[in-house]
Amino acid sequence: VLDAGHGGRDQGTSAGSILEKEINLSVVKRLAGILEDAGAAVLLTREDDTKVGLEDRANFANQKEAEFFVSIHCNYCEDDAGVIGLECYYRDGSTEGEALANQIVSRMEETEENSCRGTRIGDFRVLNKTEMPAVLVEIGYLSNQGERMKLADEAYQKLLTPNGHRN
């Protein structure tokens, strides 16, 4: 299950006209297409600009008995506009979630076009309520002007998906 964070009235973080919810959905749809082309069965918690509750997202994944849950978000740092990079969170005690987070970060570190800040334990409802390995990926910081412009660019979004930097 792929989860595009936020949606509907919940725009997530923003900077000017750039909205987190739109970037999240764009990246998730691109990722879903790539995974489906590779033969994976992919379900989305939302396919358009609708609000889905946090527990509803986790319940959906649990009811569908998903093998993995990946939630995509953008970060924001009010204290330091210089902070950049992808971060991947997993639930405390989930060795499979930690392994998935490490795989994602390792894959992202292979490209020079983005920066990674590593993996961390996260206390997020979508991680704590899912029954399968789950990660929440903060794909970058909208508070940083350079990273914000990259995150809003489709070419850069392609780099955030499997094999994106090879095409």
Short mmCIF file of all heavy atoms in Angstrom, two decimals, residues 3-6 13 18-31 70-76 83-89 104-105 108 111 113-118 135-144 146-148 150-154 156-161:
data_model
loop_
_atom_site.label_atom_id
_atom_site.label_comp_id
_atom_site.label_asym_id
_atom_site.label_seq_id
_atom_site.Cartn_x
_atom_site.Cartn_y
_atom_site.Cartn_z
N ASP A 3 0.84 5.35 0.35
CA ASP A 3 0.04 6.38 0.99
C ASP A 3 0.59 7.76 0.66
O ASP A 3 1.72 8.08 1.03
CB ASP A 3 0.07 6.16 2.51
CG ASP A 3 -0.60 7.26 3.29
OD1 ASP A 3 -1.71 7.67 2.88
OD2 ASP A 3 -0.03 7.70 4.31
N ALA A 4 -0.19 8.53 -0.08
CA ALA A 4 0.17 9.93 -0.36
C ALA A 4 -0.33 10.75 0.82
O ALA A 4 -1.53 10.97 0.98
CB ALA A 4 -0.46 10.40 -1.66
N GLY A 5 0.58 11.18 1.66
CA GLY A 5 0.20 11.91 2.86
C GLY A 5 -0.65 13.15 2.59
O GLY A 5 -0.52 13.78 1.56
N HIS A 6 -1.54 13.41 3.54
CA HIS A 6 -2.42 14.58 3.53
C HIS A 6 -3.47 14.45 2.43
O HIS A 6 -3.82 13.34 2.05
CB HIS A 6 -1.61 15.88 3.46
CG HIS A 6 -0.59 15.96 4.56
ND1 HIS A 6 -0.93 16.27 5.85
CD2 HIS A 6 0.74 15.70 4.56
CE1 HIS A 6 0.16 16.21 6.61
NE2 HIS A 6 1.17 15.87 5.85
N THR A 13 2.28 20.59 4.70
CA THR A 13 3.08 21.80 4.73
C THR A 13 3.03 22.47 3.36
O THR A 13 2.63 21.85 2.38
CB THR A 13 4.53 21.51 5.18
OG1 THR A 13 5.18 22.73 5.47
CG2 THR A 13 5.28 20.73 4.14
N ILE A 18 3.26 25.98 -3.55
CA ILE A 18 3.69 24.59 -3.57
C ILE A 18 3.12 23.89 -2.34
O ILE A 18 3.44 24.24 -1.20
CB ILE A 18 5.23 24.49 -3.63
CG1 ILE A 18 5.72 25.15 -4.92
CG2 ILE A 18 5.67 23.04 -3.54
CD1 ILE A 18 7.22 25.24 -5.03
N LEU A 19 2.28 22.90 -2.59
CA LEU A 19 1.58 22.18 -1.52
C LEU A 19 2.11 20.76 -1.38
O LEU A 19 2.23 20.03 -2.37
CB LEU A 19 0.09 22.13 -1.80
CG LEU A 19 -0.63 23.46 -2.02
CD1 LEU A 19 -2.10 23.22 -2.31
CD2 LEU A 19 -0.46 24.36 -0.81
N GLU A 20 2.37 20.38 -0.15
CA GLU A 20 2.85 19.02 0.13
C GLU A 20 1.91 17.96 -0.42
O GLU A 20 2.37 17.00 -1.05
CB GLU A 20 3.04 18.82 1.63
CG GLU A 20 3.47 17.41 1.97
CD GLU A 20 3.53 17.11 3.45
OE1 GLU A 20 3.18 17.99 4.28
OE2 GLU A 20 3.92 15.98 3.79
N LYS A 21 0.62 18.13 -0.20
CA LYS A 21 -0.33 17.09 -0.62
C LYS A 21 -0.24 16.79 -2.11
O LYS A 21 -0.40 15.65 -2.53
CB LYS A 21 -1.76 17.48 -0.24
CG LYS A 21 -2.33 18.66 -1.02
CD LYS A 21 -3.76 18.96 -0.64
CE LYS A 21 -4.34 20.08 -1.50
NZ LYS A 21 -5.76 20.27 -1.23
N GLU A 22 0.05 17.80 -2.92
CA GLU A 22 0.14 17.61 -4.38
C GLU A 22 1.43 16.88 -4.75
O GLU A 22 1.42 16.00 -5.62
CB GLU A 22 0.05 18.95 -5.09
CG GLU A 22 -1.32 19.59 -4.95
CD GLU A 22 -1.38 21.01 -5.52
OE1 GLU A 22 -0.34 21.54 -5.97
OE2 GLU A 22 -2.49 21.58 -5.49
N ILE A 23 2.54 17.23 -4.12
CA ILE A 23 3.80 16.54 -4.38
C ILE A 23 3.69 15.08 -3.96
O ILE A 23 4.09 14.18 -4.71
CB ILE A 23 4.96 17.25 -3.66
CG1 ILE A 23 5.19 18.64 -4.25
CG2 ILE A 23 6.24 16.41 -3.73
CD1 ILE A 23 6.13 19.50 -3.45
N ASN A 24 3.15 14.84 -2.78
CA ASN A 24 3.01 13.47 -2.28
C ASN A 24 2.22 12.60 -3.26
O ASN A 24 2.62 11.48 -3.57
CB ASN A 24 2.30 13.46 -0.92
CG ASN A 24 3.06 14.20 0.16
OD1 ASN A 24 4.24 14.49 0.03
ND2 ASN A 24 2.37 14.51 1.24
N LEU A 25 1.10 13.13 -3.74
CA LEU A 25 0.25 12.36 -4.65
C LEU A 25 0.96 12.11 -5.97
O LEU A 25 0.90 11.00 -6.52
CB LEU A 25 -1.08 13.07 -4.87
CG LEU A 25 -2.11 12.31 -5.70
CD1 LEU A 25 -2.46 10.96 -5.07
CD2 LEU A 25 -3.38 13.16 -5.86
N SER A 26 1.66 13.09 -6.48
CA SER A 26 2.39 12.93 -7.74
C SER A 26 3.45 11.85 -7.62
O SER A 26 3.58 10.98 -8.49
CB SER A 26 3.02 14.27 -8.14
OG SER A 26 3.78 14.12 -9.31
N VAL A 27 4.22 11.87 -6.55
CA VAL A 27 5.28 10.88 -6.35
C VAL A 27 4.67 9.49 -6.16
O VAL A 27 5.16 8.51 -6.74
CB VAL A 27 6.18 11.27 -5.16
CG1 VAL A 27 7.12 10.13 -4.77
CG2 VAL A 27 6.97 12.53 -5.49
N VAL A 28 3.60 9.38 -5.39
CA VAL A 28 2.96 8.08 -5.16
C VAL A 28 2.41 7.50 -6.46
O VAL A 28 2.58 6.31 -6.74
CB VAL A 28 1.86 8.20 -4.07
CG1 VAL A 28 0.88 7.04 -4.13
CG2 VAL A 28 2.50 8.25 -2.70
N LYS A 29 1.78 8.31 -7.26
CA LYS A 29 1.25 7.81 -8.54
C LYS A 29 2.38 7.34 -9.45
O LYS A 29 2.26 6.30 -10.11
CB LYS A 29 0.41 8.88 -9.23
CG LYS A 29 -0.96 9.06 -8.61
CD LYS A 29 -1.77 10.08 -9.38
CE LYS A 29 -3.20 10.11 -8.92
NZ LYS A 29 -4.00 11.06 -9.71
N ARG A 30 3.46 8.07 -9.51
CA ARG A 30 4.62 7.68 -10.32
C ARG A 30 5.19 6.35 -9.80
O ARG A 30 5.47 5.43 -10.56
CB ARG A 30 5.68 8.77 -10.28
CG ARG A 30 6.89 8.49 -11.14
CD ARG A 30 7.89 9.64 -11.08
NE ARG A 30 7.31 10.93 -11.39
CZ ARG A 30 7.09 11.38 -12.62
NH1 ARG A 30 7.40 10.64 -13.65
NH2 ARG A 30 6.58 12.58 -12.80
N LEU A 31 5.36 6.26 -8.49
CA LEU A 31 5.89 5.04 -7.87
C LEU A 31 4.96 3.85 -8.11
O LEU A 31 5.42 2.75 -8.42
CB LEU A 31 6.10 5.28 -6.38
CG LEU A 31 6.66 4.12 -5.56
CD1 LEU A 31 8.00 3.64 -6.13
CD2 LEU A 31 6.83 4.55 -4.10
N VAL A 70 3.95 2.18 2.69
CA VAL A 70 4.90 3.27 2.47
C VAL A 70 4.12 4.57 2.37
O VAL A 70 3.29 4.74 1.48
CB VAL A 70 5.74 3.05 1.19
CG1 VAL A 70 6.67 4.23 0.96
CG2 VAL A 70 6.52 1.74 1.27
N SER A 71 4.37 5.48 3.30
CA SER A 71 3.70 6.77 3.33
C SER A 71 4.69 7.84 2.89
O SER A 71 5.80 7.93 3.43
CB SER A 71 3.19 7.06 4.75
OG SER A 71 2.41 8.23 4.78
N ILE A 72 4.29 8.66 1.91
CA ILE A 72 5.16 9.68 1.34
C ILE A 72 4.74 11.06 1.84
O ILE A 72 3.55 11.41 1.80
CB ILE A 72 5.10 9.65 -0.21
CG1 ILE A 72 5.52 8.28 -0.74
CG2 ILE A 72 5.93 10.78 -0.81
CD1 ILE A 72 6.96 7.92 -0.49
N HIS A 73 5.72 11.83 2.28
CA HIS A 73 5.50 13.17 2.83
C HIS A 73 6.64 14.11 2.43
O HIS A 73 7.69 13.67 1.98
CB HIS A 73 5.43 13.13 4.36
CG HIS A 73 4.23 12.44 4.89
ND1 HIS A 73 3.11 13.13 5.28
CD2 HIS A 73 3.96 11.14 5.06
CE1 HIS A 73 2.19 12.26 5.69
NE2 HIS A 73 2.69 11.05 5.56
N CYS A 74 6.43 15.40 2.66
CA CYS A 74 7.48 16.42 2.57
C CYS A 74 7.65 17.02 3.95
O CYS A 74 6.68 17.16 4.69
CB CYS A 74 7.10 17.52 1.57
SG CYS A 74 6.95 16.96 -0.13
N ASN A 75 8.84 17.41 4.27
CA ASN A 75 9.17 17.94 5.58
C ASN A 75 9.25 19.47 5.54
O ASN A 75 9.25 20.07 4.46
CB ASN A 75 10.49 17.35 6.06
CG ASN A 75 10.48 16.99 7.52
OD1 ASN A 75 9.74 17.58 8.30
ND2 ASN A 75 11.31 16.03 7.90
N TYR A 76 9.37 20.08 6.71
CA TYR A 76 9.51 21.53 6.82
C TYR A 76 10.23 21.82 8.13
O TYR A 76 9.88 21.28 9.17
CB TYR A 76 8.13 22.20 6.83
CG TYR A 76 8.19 23.68 6.53
CD1 TYR A 76 7.98 24.14 5.25
CD2 TYR A 76 8.46 24.61 7.53
CE1 TYR A 76 8.03 25.49 4.94
CE2 TYR A 76 8.51 25.97 7.24
CZ TYR A 76 8.30 26.39 5.94
OH TYR A 76 8.35 27.74 5.65
N VAL A 83 18.22 23.21 6.08
CA VAL A 83 18.10 21.77 6.22
C VAL A 83 17.53 21.17 4.94
O VAL A 83 16.53 21.65 4.41
CB VAL A 83 17.20 21.40 7.43
CG1 VAL A 83 17.01 19.90 7.54
CG2 VAL A 83 17.79 21.96 8.72
N ILE A 84 18.17 20.11 4.45
CA ILE A 84 17.71 19.40 3.25
C ILE A 84 17.82 17.90 3.48
O ILE A 84 18.50 17.45 4.39
CB ILE A 84 18.51 19.79 1.99
CG1 ILE A 84 19.99 19.42 2.15
CG2 ILE A 84 18.35 21.27 1.67
CD1 ILE A 84 20.80 19.54 0.87
N GLY A 85 17.16 17.15 2.63
CA GLY A 85 17.38 15.71 2.58
C GLY A 85 16.19 14.85 2.90
O GLY A 85 15.25 15.25 3.56
N LEU A 86 16.27 13.64 2.38
CA LEU A 86 15.27 12.60 2.60
C LEU A 86 15.51 11.93 3.93
O LEU A 86 16.66 11.68 4.31
CB LEU A 86 15.37 11.59 1.45
CG LEU A 86 14.46 10.38 1.47
CD1 LEU A 86 14.04 10.05 0.04
CD2 LEU A 86 15.12 9.18 2.11
N GLU A 87 14.44 11.64 4.64
CA GLU A 87 14.50 10.90 5.91
C GLU A 87 13.47 9.79 5.85
O GLU A 87 12.38 9.98 5.30
CB GLU A 87 14.16 11.81 7.10
CG GLU A 87 15.09 12.97 7.25
CD GLU A 87 14.60 14.00 8.27
OE1 GLU A 87 13.42 13.97 8.65
OE2 GLU A 87 15.42 14.84 8.65
N CYS A 88 13.80 8.65 6.42
CA CYS A 88 12.87 7.52 6.39
C CYS A 88 12.65 7.02 7.81
O CYS A 88 13.60 6.66 8.51
CB CYS A 88 13.44 6.42 5.50
SG CYS A 88 12.22 5.20 5.01
N TYR A 89 11.39 7.02 8.22
CA TYR A 89 11.01 6.64 9.58
C TYR A 89 10.36 5.25 9.59
O TYR A 89 9.68 4.86 8.65
CB TYR A 89 10.00 7.64 10.14
CG TYR A 89 10.59 9.01 10.36
CD1 TYR A 89 10.63 9.95 9.33
CD2 TYR A 89 11.11 9.37 11.61
CE1 TYR A 89 11.18 11.21 9.52
CE2 TYR A 89 11.66 10.63 11.81
CZ TYR A 89 11.69 11.53 10.76
OH TYR A 89 12.23 12.78 10.96
N ILE A 104 15.51 1.81 1.44
CA ILE A 104 15.10 3.03 0.75
C ILE A 104 16.21 4.07 0.80
O ILE A 104 16.57 4.67 -0.22
CB ILE A 104 13.79 3.58 1.35
CG1 ILE A 104 12.62 2.63 0.99
CG2 ILE A 104 13.51 5.00 0.87
CD1 ILE A 104 11.34 2.91 1.74
N VAL A 105 16.77 4.28 1.98
CA VAL A 105 17.84 5.27 2.12
C VAL A 105 19.07 4.86 1.32
O VAL A 105 19.67 5.70 0.63
CB VAL A 105 18.17 5.51 3.61
CG1 VAL A 105 19.46 6.29 3.77
CG2 VAL A 105 17.01 6.25 4.28
N MET A 108 18.47 5.67 -2.28
CA MET A 108 18.51 7.10 -2.54
C MET A 108 19.93 7.65 -2.48
O MET A 108 20.26 8.61 -3.16
CB MET A 108 17.61 7.86 -1.56
CG MET A 108 16.12 7.63 -1.76
SD MET A 108 15.50 8.31 -3.31
CE MET A 108 15.45 6.86 -4.34
N THR A 111 22.27 8.06 -5.77
CA THR A 111 22.22 9.17 -6.72
C THR A 111 22.80 10.43 -6.08
O THR A 111 22.64 10.66 -4.89
CB THR A 111 20.77 9.42 -7.21
OG1 THR A 111 20.79 10.53 -8.11
CG2 THR A 111 19.82 9.70 -6.08
N GLU A 113 21.93 13.44 -6.95
CA GLU A 113 20.99 14.55 -7.10
C GLU A 113 20.21 14.87 -5.82
O GLU A 113 19.53 15.87 -5.75
CB GLU A 113 19.99 14.27 -8.22
CG GLU A 113 20.59 14.33 -9.61
CD GLU A 113 21.21 13.00 -10.04
OE1 GLU A 113 21.16 12.02 -9.26
OE2 GLU A 113 21.76 12.93 -11.15
N ASN A 114 20.29 13.99 -4.83
CA ASN A 114 19.57 14.28 -3.60
C ASN A 114 20.44 13.97 -2.39
O ASN A 114 21.48 13.34 -2.51
CB ASN A 114 18.23 13.54 -3.54
CG ASN A 114 18.41 12.03 -3.53
OD1 ASN A 114 19.52 11.53 -3.59
ND2 ASN A 114 17.32 11.32 -3.45
N SER A 115 19.99 14.41 -1.26
CA SER A 115 20.71 14.23 0.00
C SER A 115 19.87 13.36 0.92
O SER A 115 18.64 13.45 0.91
CB SER A 115 20.94 15.60 0.63
OG SER A 115 21.51 15.47 1.91
N CYS A 116 20.52 12.52 1.70
CA CYS A 116 19.79 11.67 2.65
C CYS A 116 20.24 11.96 4.07
O CYS A 116 21.42 12.18 4.32
CB CYS A 116 20.03 10.19 2.33
SG CYS A 116 19.21 9.64 0.85
N ARG A 117 19.27 11.96 4.95
CA ARG A 117 19.53 12.21 6.37
C ARG A 117 19.38 10.94 7.20
O ARG A 117 19.38 10.99 8.41
CB ARG A 117 18.60 13.30 6.87
CG ARG A 117 18.85 14.65 6.19
CD ARG A 117 17.81 15.70 6.54
NE ARG A 117 17.52 15.81 7.95
CZ ARG A 117 18.17 16.60 8.82
NH1 ARG A 117 19.16 17.35 8.39
NH2 ARG A 117 17.81 16.66 10.08
N GLY A 118 19.21 9.80 6.53
CA GLY A 118 19.20 8.52 7.22
C GLY A 118 17.82 8.06 7.66
O GLY A 118 16.80 8.56 7.22
N VAL A 135 6.85 2.25 6.60
CA VAL A 135 7.79 3.38 6.67
C VAL A 135 7.06 4.65 6.28
O VAL A 135 6.07 4.62 5.54
CB VAL A 135 9.02 3.19 5.76
CG1 VAL A 135 9.88 2.03 6.23
CG2 VAL A 135 8.63 3.03 4.32
N LEU A 136 7.54 5.75 6.80
CA LEU A 136 7.08 7.07 6.41
C LEU A 136 8.31 7.78 5.86
O LEU A 136 9.31 7.93 6.57
CB LEU A 136 6.49 7.83 7.60
CG LEU A 136 5.85 9.18 7.26
CD1 LEU A 136 4.64 9.42 8.15
CD2 LEU A 136 6.85 10.31 7.40
N VAL A 137 8.26 8.16 4.58
CA VAL A 137 9.39 8.77 3.91
C VAL A 137 9.14 10.26 3.74
O VAL A 137 8.19 10.66 3.06
CB VAL A 137 9.65 8.11 2.53
CG1 VAL A 137 10.92 8.68 1.91
CG2 VAL A 137 9.72 6.60 2.64
N GLU A 138 9.97 11.05 4.38
CA GLU A 138 9.96 12.50 4.18
C GLU A 138 10.94 12.74 3.03
O GLU A 138 12.15 12.62 3.21
CB GLU A 138 10.42 13.24 5.44
CG GLU A 138 9.51 13.05 6.64
CD GLU A 138 8.30 13.98 6.65
OE1 GLU A 138 8.09 14.72 5.67
OE2 GLU A 138 7.58 13.96 7.67
N ILE A 139 10.42 13.04 1.84
CA ILE A 139 11.25 13.06 0.64
C ILE A 139 12.10 14.32 0.49
O ILE A 139 12.94 14.39 -0.40
CB ILE A 139 10.41 12.81 -0.63
CG1 ILE A 139 9.32 13.86 -0.79
CG2 ILE A 139 9.85 11.40 -0.61
CD1 ILE A 139 8.52 13.74 -2.08
N GLY A 140 11.90 15.30 1.34
CA GLY A 140 12.68 16.53 1.29
C GLY A 140 12.00 17.64 2.06
O GLY A 140 10.89 17.47 2.57
N TYR A 141 12.67 18.78 2.11
CA TYR A 141 12.21 19.92 2.91
C TYR A 141 11.67 21.04 2.04
O TYR A 141 12.41 21.63 1.25
CB TYR A 141 13.36 20.46 3.77
CG TYR A 141 13.61 19.63 4.99
CD1 TYR A 141 14.30 18.44 4.91
CD2 TYR A 141 13.11 20.02 6.23
CE1 TYR A 141 14.52 17.66 6.04
CE2 TYR A 141 13.31 19.25 7.36
CZ TYR A 141 14.02 18.07 7.26
OH TYR A 141 14.23 17.30 8.37
N LEU A 142 10.38 21.35 2.21
CA LEU A 142 9.79 22.48 1.50
C LEU A 142 10.28 23.81 2.06
O LEU A 142 10.15 24.84 1.40
CB LEU A 142 8.26 22.42 1.54
CG LEU A 142 7.61 21.29 0.75
CD1 LEU A 142 6.10 21.36 0.86
CD2 LEU A 142 8.04 21.30 -0.70
N SER A 143 10.85 23.80 3.25
CA SER A 143 11.37 25.04 3.86
C SER A 143 12.67 25.50 3.21
O SER A 143 13.05 26.65 3.36
CB SER A 143 11.58 24.83 5.35
OG SER A 143 12.34 23.65 5.59
N ASN A 144 13.33 24.62 2.48
CA ASN A 144 14.56 24.97 1.78
C ASN A 144 14.22 25.32 0.34
O ASN A 144 13.66 24.51 -0.39
CB ASN A 144 15.55 23.80 1.83
CG ASN A 144 16.82 24.09 1.07
OD1 ASN A 144 16.87 23.96 -0.14
ND2 ASN A 144 17.85 24.51 1.80
N GLY A 146 15.85 25.70 -2.49
CA GLY A 146 16.38 24.86 -3.56
C GLY A 146 15.70 23.50 -3.60
O GLY A 146 15.32 23.02 -4.68
N GLU A 147 15.54 22.88 -2.45
CA GLU A 147 14.90 21.57 -2.41
C GLU A 147 13.42 21.68 -2.76
O GLU A 147 12.86 20.81 -3.43
CB GLU A 147 15.10 20.91 -1.04
CG GLU A 147 14.76 19.43 -1.06
CD GLU A 147 15.44 18.67 0.04
OE1 GLU A 147 15.06 18.86 1.22
OE2 GLU A 147 16.34 17.87 -0.27
N ARG A 148 12.78 22.76 -2.33
CA ARG A 148 11.37 22.99 -2.66
C ARG A 148 11.17 23.03 -4.17
O ARG A 148 10.25 22.41 -4.70
CB ARG A 148 10.90 24.29 -2.02
CG ARG A 148 9.49 24.69 -2.39
CD ARG A 148 8.99 25.90 -1.62
NE ARG A 148 9.79 27.10 -1.78
CZ ARG A 148 10.54 27.67 -0.82
NH1 ARG A 148 10.60 27.15 0.38
NH2 ARG A 148 11.21 28.77 -1.07
N LYS A 150 13.06 21.70 -6.44
CA LYS A 150 13.30 20.36 -6.97
C LYS A 150 12.09 19.46 -6.72
O LYS A 150 11.65 18.73 -7.63
CB LYS A 150 14.56 19.74 -6.35
CG LYS A 150 15.82 20.41 -6.84
CD LYS A 150 17.14 19.86 -6.37
CE LYS A 150 17.25 18.83 -5.34
NZ LYS A 150 18.63 18.45 -4.99
N LEU A 151 11.55 19.50 -5.51
CA LEU A 151 10.41 18.63 -5.17
C LEU A 151 9.19 18.92 -6.04
O LEU A 151 8.41 18.02 -6.33
CB LEU A 151 10.04 18.78 -3.69
CG LEU A 151 11.03 18.15 -2.71
CD1 LEU A 151 10.74 18.64 -1.29
CD2 LEU A 151 10.98 16.64 -2.79
N ALA A 152 9.03 20.16 -6.46
CA ALA A 152 7.89 20.53 -7.30
C ALA A 152 8.13 20.19 -8.78
O ALA A 152 7.20 20.27 -9.58
CB ALA A 152 7.61 22.02 -7.16
N ASP A 153 9.34 19.76 -9.12
CA ASP A 153 9.71 19.47 -10.51
C ASP A 153 9.53 17.98 -10.82
O ASP A 153 10.07 17.12 -10.10
CB ASP A 153 11.17 19.88 -10.73
CG ASP A 153 11.63 19.63 -12.14
OD1 ASP A 153 11.06 20.23 -13.07
OD2 ASP A 153 12.56 18.81 -12.31
N GLU A 154 8.79 17.67 -11.88
CA GLU A 154 8.52 16.27 -12.23
C GLU A 154 9.80 15.49 -12.53
O GLU A 154 9.88 14.30 -12.21
CB GLU A 154 7.58 16.20 -13.43
CG GLU A 154 6.15 16.55 -13.07
CD GLU A 154 5.19 16.33 -14.24
OE1 GLU A 154 5.47 15.46 -15.09
OE2 GLU A 154 4.18 17.03 -14.27
N TYR A 156 12.70 15.82 -11.12
CA TYR A 156 13.30 15.43 -9.84
C TYR A 156 12.45 14.36 -9.16
O TYR A 156 12.98 13.42 -8.57
CB TYR A 156 13.46 16.64 -8.92
CG TYR A 156 14.12 16.27 -7.60
CD1 TYR A 156 15.49 16.04 -7.54
CD2 TYR A 156 13.38 16.14 -6.44
CE1 TYR A 156 16.10 15.69 -6.35
CE2 TYR A 156 13.98 15.79 -5.24
CZ TYR A 156 15.34 15.56 -5.21
OH TYR A 156 15.95 15.20 -4.03
N GLN A 157 11.13 14.48 -9.23
CA GLN A 157 10.26 13.46 -8.64
C GLN A 157 10.57 12.09 -9.23
O GLN A 157 10.52 11.08 -8.53
CB GLN A 157 8.80 13.83 -8.86
CG GLN A 157 8.34 15.02 -8.05
CD GLN A 157 6.92 15.41 -8.35
OE1 GLN A 157 6.18 14.70 -9.01
NE2 GLN A 157 6.53 16.58 -7.87
N LYS A 158 10.92 12.07 -10.50
CA LYS A 158 11.27 10.80 -11.14
C LYS A 158 12.51 10.20 -10.48
O LYS A 158 12.62 8.98 -10.34
CB LYS A 158 11.52 11.04 -12.63
CG LYS A 158 11.78 9.80 -13.42
CD LYS A 158 11.92 10.12 -14.90
CE LYS A 158 12.17 8.86 -15.69
NZ LYS A 158 12.36 9.16 -17.11
N LEU A 159 13.45 11.03 -10.04
CA LEU A 159 14.65 10.55 -9.37
C LEU A 159 14.34 9.88 -8.03
O LEU A 159 15.14 9.09 -7.54
CB LEU A 159 15.64 11.69 -9.14
CG LEU A 159 16.23 12.35 -10.37
CD1 LEU A 159 17.05 13.57 -9.96
CD2 LEU A 159 17.08 11.36 -11.14
N LEU A 160 13.19 10.20 -7.46
CA LEU A 160 12.82 9.65 -6.15
C LEU A 160 12.18 8.27 -6.26
O LEU A 160 11.82 7.69 -5.25
CB LEU A 160 11.85 10.62 -5.45
CG LEU A 160 12.43 11.99 -5.11
CD1 LEU A 160 11.33 12.90 -4.62
CD2 LEU A 160 13.55 11.87 -4.10
N THR A 161 12.03 7.76 -7.47
CA THR A 161 11.39 6.45 -7.67
C THR A 161 12.41 5.44 -8.18
O THR A 161 13.47 5.80 -8.70
CB THR A 161 10.23 6.58 -8.67
OG1 THR A 161 10.72 7.12 -9.90
CG2 THR A 161 9.13 7.49 -8.13
#
